[in-house]
């Protein structure tokens, strides 16, 4: 990401960003919530697995054909002719990803994240090398497309090689209906969330310049790297485990409180530290042509710090099999979010990013409503658990920002000073104030050794 961004331009990334929502929506339709349904189902069998596999492939082919023939319309909407061939090539990701949905789900059920990590790591190395080479040779936006396609192809191939599961020649409509009954609600919820999260890309791409969309996508990628990726790991690891204790409310509440505290103890300081060093970070890794991305990164960090709390609360509804409530919450949150987008568009791109923070806080209050109903762990109870970590993270971020703001040094040196100061301040304060989360993490590390 860093090397390619130094070679390519914000406009190159903006062009790919214009297509992201169409790929993301299609990917949600391919999965259709079946992954979560398979993970939650305790008596799954080979017919269930193969039914999902063949369904995913069929939907993937149909959606790719739709995108292929609609590519000229998408290009006309954005007034960017190059989007037609870009869409037709990058859409192949759908076919590649559809081949590995079941393998990922089964590995998750078996708590086998080592195999998934191997596939992802090798895919990142190979695709990164391809992307960098093509960017260096002057292929521009096509370097990004090649990097994404090669990543999906390598990961899918490795999952097929390392996974012990292979589909059988069987398809059951009864199995489909059972899984779809649960998964359809998650599909609708996922589509709403996907459309809403990528609505910013459509609006920015249409209202502002392609380069502005490039700034936003780079800032979003830095934010997601520290927040969404870690949150995704916690969610994938915790969901199959929590499904095994779905009927024990007292134990569920205890485990959820621990998950919330530990995830916040990791994510809160990461996001506050990232916001504090945003400017030297962007200048060091992406150069001055991306400087505006550092301004957008600050509100995205404040919004992203709450992602683990959102995901853990929503996980409960899936564990309890209440995908209907999950969908209800998504409809309410997204309606409010769209209203915020409409209000912030005239104010400019930066205010649109601050609007994401407001949306995140409103969503936090909404998401915790049913957690309080189901396991008596509502908004106030969760905030009491997280308040000490939140205040410490804010204090650490403020201290780092004030330190590097007044030092007339090279951005790389400022970045190193800020990171070192943030880590030392946070860990020292957590130890002095006897944070239980620090002890738990240290215990986990010792057990791994």
């Amino acid at each position: 990401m860093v090397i390619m961004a130094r070679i390519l331009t914000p406009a190159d990334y903006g062009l790919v960003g214009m297509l992201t929502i169409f790929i993301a929506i299609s990917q949600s339709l391919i999965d259709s919530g079946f992954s979560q349904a398979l993970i939650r189902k305790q008596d799954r069998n080979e017919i269930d697995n193969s039914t999902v596999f063949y369904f995913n492939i069929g939907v993937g082919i149909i959606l790719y054909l739709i995108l292929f023939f609609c590519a000229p319309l998408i290009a006309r909407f954005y007034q960017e002719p190059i989007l037609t061939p870009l869409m037709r090539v990058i859409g192949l990701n759908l076919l590649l990803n559809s081949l590995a949905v079941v393998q990922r789900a089964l590995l998750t059920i078996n708590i086998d994240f080592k195999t998934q990590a191997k596939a992802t790591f090798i895919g990142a190395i190979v695709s990164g090398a391809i992307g960098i080479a093509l960017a260096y040779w002057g292929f521009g936006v096509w370097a990004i497309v090649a990097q994404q396609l090669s990543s999906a192809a390598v990961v899918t191939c490795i999952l097929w090689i390392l996974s012990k599961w292979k589909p059988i020649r069987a398809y059951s409509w009864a199995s489909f209906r059972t899984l779809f009954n649960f998964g359809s609600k998650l599909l609708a919820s996922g589509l709403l969330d996907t459309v809403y999260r990528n609505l910013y890309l459509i609006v920015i791409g249409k209202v502002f310049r392609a380069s502005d969309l490039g700034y936003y996508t780079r800032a979003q990628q830095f934010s997601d790297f520290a927040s969404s990726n870690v949150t995704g790991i916690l969610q994938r690891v915790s969901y199959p485990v929590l499904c095994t204790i779905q009927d024990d409310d007292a134990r569920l509440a205890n485990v959820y409180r621990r998950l919330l505290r530990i995830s916040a103890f990791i994510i809160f300081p990461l996001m506050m530290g990232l916001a504090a060093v945003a400017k030297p970070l962007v200048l060091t890794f992406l150069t001055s042509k991306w400087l505006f991305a550092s301004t957008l990164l600050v509100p995205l960090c404040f919004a992203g710090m709450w992602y683990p709390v959102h995901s853990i609360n929503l996980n409960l509804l899936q564990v309890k099999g209440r995908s209907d409530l999950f969908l209800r919450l998504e409809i309410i949150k997204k309606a409010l979010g769209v209203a915020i987008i409409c209000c912030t568009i005239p104010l400019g791109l930066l205010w649109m990013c601050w609007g994401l923070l407001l949306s995140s806080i409103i969503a936090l209050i909404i998401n915790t409503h049913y957690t309080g109903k189901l396991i008596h762990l509502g908004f106030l109870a969760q905030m009491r658990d997280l308040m000490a970590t939140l205040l410490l993270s804010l204090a650490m971020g403020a201290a780092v920002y004030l330190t590097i703001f007044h030092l007339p040094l090279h951005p790389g040196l400022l970045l190193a000073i800020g990171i070192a100061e943030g880590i030392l301040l946070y860990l020292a304060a957590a130890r002095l104030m006897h944070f239980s989360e620090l002890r738990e993490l240290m215990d986990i590390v010792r057990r791994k050794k």
Side-chain angles (χ1 to χ4, degrees):
M1 179 192 75
V2 170
I3 298 174
M4 289 177 66
R6 292 174 71 93
I7 301 172
L8 302 175
T9 67
D12 290 328
Y13 283 93
L15 289 171
V16 175
M18 292 174 182
L19 303 177
T20 299
I21 185 170
F22 303 102
I23 300 297
I25 291 174
S26 300
Q27 192 61 52
S28 294
L29 288 168
I30 288 173
D31 181 59
S32 303
F34 275 26
S35 290
Q36 303 302 322
L38 271 182
I39 294 171
R40 186 180 183 277
K41 190 177 182 184
Q42 300 299 304
D43 59 345
R44 74 191 73 82
N45 54 45
E46 284 302 307
I47 294 179
D48 294 327
N49 299 334
S50 295
T51 297
V52 174
F53 175 78
Y54 293 121
F55 173 79
N56 287 336
I57 293 177
V59 174
I61 293 172
I62 293 171
L63 290 173
Y64 174 71
L65 292 175
I66 291 173
L67 291 181
F68 184 93
F69 289 110
C70 290
L73 299 177
I74 296 172
R76 196 176 307 153
F77 173 78
Y78 286 114
Q79 298 180 347
E80 294 282 358
I82 194 176
L83 292 182
T84 297
L86 283 178
M87 181 77 266
R88 288 172 173 173
V89 176
I90 206 171
L92 293 171
N93 265 327
L94 299 176
L95 302 178
L96 294 169
N97 289 331
S98 68
L99 294 170
V101 171
V102 175
Q103 281 84 350
R104 287 185 183 278
L106 295 178
L107 289 171
T108 300
I109 290 167
N110 295 324
I111 321 296
D112 184 359
F113 296 99
K114 182 180 291 187
T115 298
Q116 296 183 61
K118 287 179 182 177
T120 303
F121 179 75
I122 296 172
I125 296 297
V126 174
S127 64
I130 292 172
I132 291 170
L134 292 179
Y136 181 77
W137 290 332
F139 281 83
V141 67
W142 288 103
I144 305 173
V145 175
Q147 185 269 329
Q148 293 185 6
L149 276 178
S150 58
S151 175
V154 172
V155 170
T156 297
C157 288
I158 294 176
L159 287 177
W160 268 83
I161 294 170
L162 298 181
S163 174
K164 297 179 181 179
W165 182 83
K166 297 295 183 293
I168 62 175
R169 295 184 179 180
Y171 187 91
S172 169
W173 284 108
S175 174
F176 172 85
R177 286 190 293 270
T178 300
L179 293 168
F180 191 72
N181 185 47
F182 176 78
S184 60
K185 310 296 191 309
L186 296 181
L187 166 63
S189 303
L191 284 174
L192 279 173
D193 184 59
T194 300
V195 171
Y196 174 73
R197 284 189 292 106
N198 291 280
L199 188 59
Y200 276 75
L201 303 182
I202 289 183
V203 172
I204 296 170
K206 183 64 177 176
V207 177
F208 303 97
R209 299 169 300 176
S211 57
D212 290 323
L213 182 55
Y215 293 128
Y216 175 80
T217 56
R218 290 311 90 207
Q220 187 183 46
Q221 189 168 18
F222 272 119
S223 175
D224 287 348
F225 183 80
S227 177
S228 296
N229 287 334
V230 178
T231 300
I233 293 169
L234 291 170
Q235 193 172 28
R236 289 195 300 272
V237 171
S238 63
Y239 181 63
V241 176
L242 292 170
C243 284
T244 63
I245 58 171
Q246 56 189 272
D247 298 321
D248 188 342
D249 288 350
R251 191 176 174 191
L252 265 179
N254 181 57
V255 172
Y256 264 85
R257 290 186 66 184
R258 289 182 62 194
L259 277 173
L260 281 168
R261 291 199 305 267
I262 291 176
S263 60
F265 188 79
I266 297 171
I267 299 292
F268 282 11
L270 273 176
M271 301 308 290
M272 290 302 94
L274 185 59
V277 301
K279 184 175 180 179
L281 177 74
V282 170
L283 288 175
T284 300
F285 288 111
L286 304 184
T287 71
S288 59
K289 68 181 178 182
W290 290 95
L291 184 59
F292 185 54
S294 67
T295 304
L296 304 179
L297 181 56
V298 175
L300 293 181
C301 286
F302 279 94
M305 68 184 291
W306 297 105
Y307 286 172
V309 185
H310 294 315
S311 66
I312 290 172
N313 277 276
L314 293 175
N315 243 2
L316 175 67
L317 299 181
Q318 297 183 53
V319 168
K320 284 291 191 180
R322 297 305 304 271
S323 54
D324 56 329
L325 298 181
F326 194 111
L327 176 58
R328 185 184 303 173
L329 291 182
E330 289 302 309
I331 293 173
I332 296 171
K333 290 184 298 183
K334 273 36 182 185
L336 293 172
V338 169
I340 292 173
I341 291 175
C342 293
C343 293
T344 54
I345 288 174
L347 302 177
L349 184 53
L350 180 59
W351 279 102
M352 287 182 67
C353 292
W354 283 111
L356 276 173
L357 173 59
L358 178 59
S359 297
S360 186
I361 293 173
I362 293 173
L364 180 67
I365 298 171
I366 295 172
N367 285 337
T368 54
H369 173 73
Y370 284 113
T371 310
K373 295 282 187 181
L374 293 172
I375 58 173
H376 310 294
L377 191 62
F379 176 77
L380 293 179
Q382 293 185 36
M383 289 304 100
R384 282 195 296 268
D385 282 346
L386 303 180
M387 187 55 64
T389 299
L390 174 61
L391 293 176
L392 176 58
S393 300
L394 289 171
M396 178 274 293
V400 170
Y401 177 78
L402 291 174
T403 298
I404 64 175
F405 180 76
H406 294 290
L407 293 177
L409 301 174
H410 185 275
L413 188 55
L414 289 176
L415 179 61
I417 292 172
I419 292 174
E421 180 188 4
I423 293 173
L424 291 174
L425 280 176
Y426 187 76
L427 293 179
R431 186 175 181 85
L432 287 173
M433 291 187 285
H434 306 289
F435 272 63
S436 61
E437 295 87 350
L438 180 60
R439 291 196 301 272
E440 286 191 58
L441 287 173
M442 293 302 294
D443 289 340
I444 292 173
V445 172
R446 293 190 189 101
R447 287 199 297 270
K448 289 295 181 183
K449 292 181 179 179

